[in-house]
Every structure is written in structure tokens, then in C-alpha cells.
Amino acid sequence: MSGFVYHAFTSSALMSLGLYHLICTTRNHLKSPRDYTTKPYHPFSYNHHQFTKHIQLYLIIICLFIAFIHQTVISFDSDPLVKGRSPVHHFTSLQSAGVISLFLILSTALLISETTNLLPFPPDLFFGTASALFFLQYSVSSSSASLQTSGLEAKCDSVSSTISALSAVLCIILACHPKLFVADVGLGASICLQGLWSLQTGLSLYVDAFIPDGCHKLLDVVNGVEGSTKCDLEDSKLRATAILDLVFVVHVLIVILILIVTYSVTAKVVGVRRFGTYEALPTSSGSAADNNHIQMKAMSGTQA
């Protein structure tokens, strides 16, 4: 049960972060499309208190710290099938804890940069570093998928690594093109997708009602240790993999709907400013006409 609780916690944190990023990014773009530029994070602009203004960063740091502790602790879980600790589970969990610690350091550096003058941290450097960390997460998840003894868990790790790779690509694009609104929205959507997939992983591996037919949990293995969810036959494993592929497509559809609804609601609240059409300036034109009229009268008086 602890495995599902951790995945649910990760899902709620990532979904909240991704949705908040989508709303703030869309709002900033709609307010001023010409002056829009991407930001590493969006502080609460309606509160000038130092703590509440940067509460998002504090929450991210707390969540990352909890995830780091969890990954470090479960790396010492024993696997009765191999008479002691499983080396694969031990090292993959420590790798995940290491990646989380790097994200923790990055978030802390951003907080110090925003609250003090001790560590200048420009946005392009932040996104470049985040891209490297997402790529490292992709590498760790891919390695974990290749070492899993359970095809079901391997598929979950493989999909998670693909989403991490997408986030890495979007971050490096934002580092090079900070005014690219599509990439910024895509980054928020990828974080939401990672959150949804984390929840799906917890359901597919630890909740009996969502485990595909032909697969089951091994009761004598600790939840979270590789091989804790098995498929009896090869056909069952292939069927479970196909189901997860279908569920992933459904999650992508859900994220797209969230993106559309978020943009529509934010546009109605903020309003859309359109540029590119020429509108006459009546005040300026009227002043120019009056000036021309006065000049013509002066010329007529001079000629007379």
C-alpha cells in the first residue's frame, strides 16, 4: 500500500505544479504577447510577503525532500526471492534518489537566487540545467526498465522515461528560445502527463482492481521491489503492455483537454489582446487635421 501512496503523492505534486505552470504561462502570454518571455517559476504577484510570495518553491523543495527520503529508505527493502537485498532494486532506487537530490539542489539554488543576491541564476541557465537533469532522469528510468524482471513494471518505467525525455527537449528549447510560448506550455503539459502516469503506475502495480488480467502481486515480496508484480504467461504480459499503451493514449488525451480548458478559461478571465491590425487613432488624426486647417488659413491670410 505504501507504494501506491507514494505514487499518488507524486502524482498530486506534479499535477499541481504542471497545472499552475500552465495557468500562469497562459495568463502572462495573454496579457502581453509581445513582451512575453518564459520564467523558471511564477511567484504569487498578489502577495508581497517574502514567504508566501515564494511558497511554490518551498513546497517543491519539501516534496522533493520527501521523495528523496522515500527512495533512499526503500533502497534497503529486502527481496525474499533472492535471500536478502536485491542489488538491482538497491542501486536503481539509489540512482532515483540521486536524481531527485539534483532537482532538490536546483530548486534550492533558484530560491536563493530569487530571495537574495548571493547566487545569480538566469533563466536560460536554469532551463539548460533542468534539461540535463530531465535527460539524466530519462537515462535512469530507461536503465531501470531494462533491468526489471517484471514486464509490467518495465513498461511503466519505459513510458515514464519517454515523458522525461520530452521534458528535457522542451527545456533546452526554452533555454535557446525563451519567447517560445508553445514550448513553455508543452513543458507544463509534460509535467501534468508525468503526474498522471505516476498515478497510473501506482494503480497498475499496487491496486488489485487495476492490475491487468493474468498479472498479480507476489505476496511475499515487498511492494516496490522489482518483480513484485508478475504476469503468469507471455500472452498475459503482452496483453498488459497493450493495455498500458492504450491507457497512455487516454492520458495524453486528458492532458490535451486540460490544456484547452485552461487556455479557454484563462482567456475569458484575462482577455485576449490581438496585434497586427491597423486601427486609426482619432485623436492624433483630428489634431493633424486641425493643424493643417490652421496652416491653410494662415497661408490664405498671407496671400491676401
Side-chain angles (χ1 to χ4, degrees):
M1 188 64 182
S2 60
F4 172 72
V5 171
Y6 172 73
H7 280 86
F9 167 77
T10 303
S11 174
S12 60
L14 290 175
M15 282 294 297
S16 300
L17 176 61
L19 187 59
Y20 180 77
H21 184 82
L22 282 175
I23 294 173
C24 293
T25 298
T26 304
R27 183 193 63 185
N28 292 342
H29 182 265
L30 291 174
K31 281 186 174 181
S32 182
R34 290 179 176 175
D35 300 329
Y36 170 81
T37 184
T38 185
K39 297 180 180 179
Y41 90 108
H42 303 271
F44 289 109
S45 57
Y46 300 105
N47 198 314
H48 300 287
H49 191 272
Q50 189 71 5
F51 177 79
T52 53
K53 183 178 181 181
H54 303 287
I55 192 172
Q56 179 192 359
L57 283 177
Y58 289 110
L59 292 176
I60 291 174
I61 291 173
I62 292 173
C63 291
L64 288 173
F65 183 74
I66 294 174
F68 171 76
I69 295 298
H70 177 268
Q71 289 294 335
T72 303
V73 170
I74 67 170
S75 66
F76 296 99
D77 285 339
S78 60
D79 184 352
L81 296 182
V82 293
K83 308 300 182 183
R85 285 195 302 272
S86 167
V88 174
H89 170 71
H90 177 67
F91 289 116
T92 55
S93 297
L94 288 180
Q95 286 176 351
S96 298
V99 173
I100 292 173
S101 68
L102 292 176
F103 277 106
L104 180 60
I105 293 173
L106 179 63
S107 301
T108 305
L110 181 60
L111 177 62
I112 296 174
S113 174
E114 292 294 330
T115 56
T116 67
N117 296 323
L118 299 177
L119 184 63
F121 205 17
D124 54 349
L125 179 59
F126 171 85
F127 283 109
T129 306
S131 176
L133 295 186
F134 276 121
F135 183 80
L136 182 60
Q137 186 180 28
Y138 155 76
S139 177
V140 170
S141 297
S142 298
S143 176
S144 177
S146 64
L147 296 174
Q148 285 287 356
T149 58
S150 168
L152 197 61
E153 295 180 48
K155 181 62 179 179
C156 292
D157 288 340
S158 177
V159 173
S160 178
S161 67
T162 302
I163 302 174
S164 298
L166 174 62
S167 299
V169 172
L170 292 171
C171 281
I172 197 63
I173 291 175
L174 289 174
C176 300
H177 303 283
K179 291 184 175 296
L180 194 57
F181 171 67
V182 175
D184 205 4
V185 169
L187 179 60
S190 69
I191 295 175
C192 289
L193 183 60
Q194 188 72 266
L196 285 176
W197 189 251
S198 177
L199 178 62
Q200 183 62 48
T201 300
L203 292 173
S204 299
L205 297 182
Y206 307 119
V207 180
D208 293 331
F210 291 89
I211 296 178
D213 292 338
C215 304
H216 59 89
K217 292 188 298 182
L218 299 179
L219 299 179
D220 55 347
V221 180
V222 179
N223 284 344
V225 175
E226 81 281 353
S228 58
T229 305
K230 288 282 190 179
C231 296
D232 297 325
L233 302 174
E234 184 67 19
D235 289 344
S236 299
K237 185 177 72 173
L238 294 176
R239 179 177 178 274
T241 301
I243 291 175
L244 288 178
D245 286 334
L246 176 61
V247 172
F248 176 70
V249 174
V250 173
H251 285 318
V252 172
L253 177 61
I254 293 174
V255 171
I256 293 175
L257 291 177
I258 291 175
L259 177 60
I260 295 173
V261 172
T262 301
Y263 189 91
S264 301
V265 173
T266 308
K268 287 185 177 181
V269 174
V270 177
V272 180
R273 296 185 179 183
R274 302 183 181 276
F275 295 91
T277 58
Y278 174 78
E279 295 182 359
L281 301 177
T283 303
S284 300
S285 300
S287 300
D290 292 342
N291 291 334
N292 292 335
H293 181 65
I294 293 172
Q295 291 178 2
M296 289 297 295
K297 289 180 66 176
M299 291 177 62
S300 300
T302 304
Q303 290 177 0

